[in-house]
Amino acid sequence: MDLSHIPVEYILKAARVVKRGAYLIAAIGAAASYRTQVELLAKYEMGTLFSWLIPATIDLLAICAAIGLTIPGLPEKDRKYVNRVLTIAVLVSVTANLMGGHNWVTRAGHIWPVFAYLL
């Protein structure tokens, strides 16, 4: 199949639709993950303020790192660093979301938004 005749405008339009979908998944994932982390920290008596602030640092760090990886021309050394930051933020989020579940079904439900965001 020869795809060389597909108009650039069509490709750009399709890319915008996919990008919007990815941002929606990221927003849903961050919201679900955030709420789980807030409840977990409150359960362990972290205090109201910190229970709400700490999860924001985790999810915002992951989002910032993911956006950082899309910077055109980012030097390889910086790309590796940002990738490590993203990995750490995701591991912390997944760990907290796993702890937020009461059985394997709820654990899977809690960590799915994080994986969906990464995908």
Side-chain angles (χ1 to χ4, degrees):
M1 178 190 326
D2 180 21
L3 300 177
S4 62
H5 68 281
I6 297 175
V8 172
E9 297 81 25
Y10 176 80
I11 294 170
L12 292 175
K13 183 179 178 182
R16 282 191 293 273
V17 169
V18 169
K19 192 174 183 179
R20 285 186 193 118
Y23 284 139
L24 178 60
I25 290 170
I28 292 168
S33 172
Y34 179 82
R35 185 63 185 175
T36 298
Q37 293 174 51
V38 167
E39 290 171 0
L40 180 67
L41 292 174
K43 176 181 164 183
Y44 283 95
E45 300 175 7
M46 180 64 84
T48 304
L49 180 63
F50 286 118
S51 292
W52 285 92
L53 291 178
I54 290 172
T57 66
I58 298 166
D59 290 334
L60 289 174
L61 184 60
I63 291 168
C64 289
I67 291 170
L69 289 173
T70 67
I71 297 172
L74 187 66
E76 188 60 29
K77 180 180 121 184
D78 295 336
R79 182 171 298 286
K80 285 180 181 179
Y81 174 76
V82 173
N83 224 343
R84 274 184 249 139
V85 169
L86 177 61
T87 301
I88 290 167
V90 166
L91 287 174
V92 169
S93 182
V94 166
T95 301
N97 281 283
L98 276 172
M99 291 175 66
H102 305 295
N103 56 53
W104 71 270
V105 174
T106 58
R107 286 185 180 107
H110 282 283
I111 64 169
W112 170 248
V114 178
F115 285 126
Y117 168 70
L118 287 177
L119 294 173

